Amino acid sequence: MNKPVMKVIIVGSYLEMGERAAKLVQQLLHDKPNAVLGLATGSTPESTYAELVRMSQEKQIDFSHTVTFNLDEYYPIARSNSQSYWDFMHDKLFRHINVNPQHIHVLHGEAQDPVAECASYEEAIGKAGGIDLQILGIGNNGHIAFNEPGSPLTSRTRVVQLDESTIQANSRYFSSAEDVPKQALSMGMGTIMEARHVILLASGAKKADAIRQSLEGPVTEAIPASILQQHPNCTFILDREAASLLKNTYEQV
Ligand code: F6R
């Protein structure tokens, strides 16, 4: 089997990264209005969501038949908590576009039985026909969703422990690191690899080392995003800072 070729696009700014990603979503929904989108939270996709909101307000995109599945959610956390990913997604995207609320899926951060919650999430993704386009960010340690280094490459949606470095990185949104939940519910590596197209976004120098290792290092559980080298249809959209440690030549726009 030939090694899949990853597409790498290097853009001039964080805003351009968002525009490029939003265009790929727009094209997909144009071709397949009932497409299933996999969505990420965090600061990275915010410019993508802002561009999708603009397109939606200008009637350049229609989400009315679109189905969404978010990658992850803290555990435990109430949906009413302003740091929940449920709240983030409504604040940045869902409240501003014409997505049907019944088509939105976010893992329940307060599920009584988190194991059953993860199993039924996997089932719901399957029933929806699988994810057409998965948007990912990347942690400074190479994590994707909350699959921290060491996550099995075949893992499915499950309860995970957050790395100390992730707790520290995400504490910027909370009053202190102690307030960051120590666990999360997260799609697995295997779940992500089944998406038909994966777009990984990264911006800023803090991500440069993780990007270098993901694209140009070996495929290893130590750098979860490196598994994307084996995905048949994966696009990295990077700003110059995130791409600054790459040795190979890639498309620059
Ligand atoms: C969020 C997620 C995480 C983030 C990553 C980067 O749903 O899955 O993997 O993508 O932690 O976070 P930011 O974008 O805040 O740097």
Side-chain angles (χ1 to χ4, degrees):
M1 200 179 79
N2 290 335
K3 198 174 169 199
V5 180
M6 303 183 64
K7 196 161 182 227
V8 180
I9 302 169
I10 300 171
V11 297
S13 70
Y14 172 70
L15 289 180
E16 279 177 56
M17 181 190 77
E19 284 165 14
R20 274 306 272 252
K23 275 207 183 79
L24 292 174
V25 175
Q26 184 186 37
Q27 186 63 51
L28 173 67
L29 297 192
H30 177 265
D31 297 344
K32 185 178 179 185
N34 63 348
V36 179
L37 297 180
L39 299 174
T41 54
S43 50
T44 306
E46 281 194 41
S47 60
T48 306
Y49 297 155
E51 178 63 2
L52 290 174
V53 168
R54 185 198 64 75
M55 287 174 167
S56 175
Q57 283 166 352
E58 294 178 11
K59 306 258 179 296
Q60 297 165 7
I61 192 167
D62 177 15
F63 289 94
S64 59
H65 300 286
T66 308
V67 176
T68 71
F69 285 89
N70 262 83
L71 281 171
D72 43 17
E73 178 61 284
Y74 290 116
Y75 188 82
I77 202 163
R79 286 186 161 179
S80 56
N81 186 320
S82 61
Q83 299 313 327
S84 71
Y85 286 168
W86 170 268
D87 187 84
F88 176 99
M89 289 307 302
H90 283 77
D91 186 39
K92 305 293 180 204
L93 185 66
F94 297 150
R95 204 171 286 138
H96 313 288
I97 61 174
N98 65 336
V99 63
N100 179 342
Q102 293 185 339
H103 292 173
I104 293 171
H105 302 83
V106 180
L107 284 149
H108 280 266
E110 280 191 303
Q112 291 294 309
D113 182 344
V115 174
E117 169 68 8
C118 292
S120 73
Y121 206 68
E122 284 277 339
E123 206 179 301
I125 294 172
K127 271 202 192 128
I131 293 171
D132 289 295
L133 189 160
Q134 175 66 58
I135 294 176
L136 296 177
I138 182 169
N140 300 343
N141 63 0
H143 74 211
I144 47 176
F146 277 133
N147 294 289
E148 300 285 22
S151 296
L153 299 179
T154 53
S155 51
R156 311 300 308 186
T157 305
R158 68 204 186 291
V159 183
V160 295
Q161 308 292 325
L162 300 189
D163 258 22
E164 194 47 43
S165 66
T166 300
I167 292 171
Q168 290 303 329
N170 291 9
S171 66
R172 66 191 194 276
Y173 295 111
F174 291 80
S175 334
S176 73
E178 283 75 65
D179 293 330
V180 183
K182 308 289 175 278
Q183 292 185 308
L185 309 181
S186 176
M187 276 190 206
M189 304 287 287
T191 323
I192 291 169
M193 286 299 278
E194 282 169 15
R196 287 183 271 279
H197 184 190
V198 174
I199 301 176
L200 186 142
L201 307 175
S203 144
K206 273 193 193 155
K207 303 291 172 71
D209 188 53
I211 288 297
R212 181 185 60 81
Q213 298 201 61
S214 304
L215 281 170
E216 297 181 349
V219 174
T220 164
E221 287 180 2
I223 303 288
S226 66
I227 196 184
L228 296 170
Q229 293 178 30
Q230 295 177 343
H231 193 284
N233 187 13
C234 178
T235 308
F236 275 44
I237 308 178
L238 312 171
D239 73 4
R240 297 226 165 83
E241 289 75 31
S244 58
L245 297 178
L246 294 173
K247 304 263 183 302
N248 299 341
T249 311
Y250 301 98
E251 180 187 346
Q252 308 258 348
V253 291

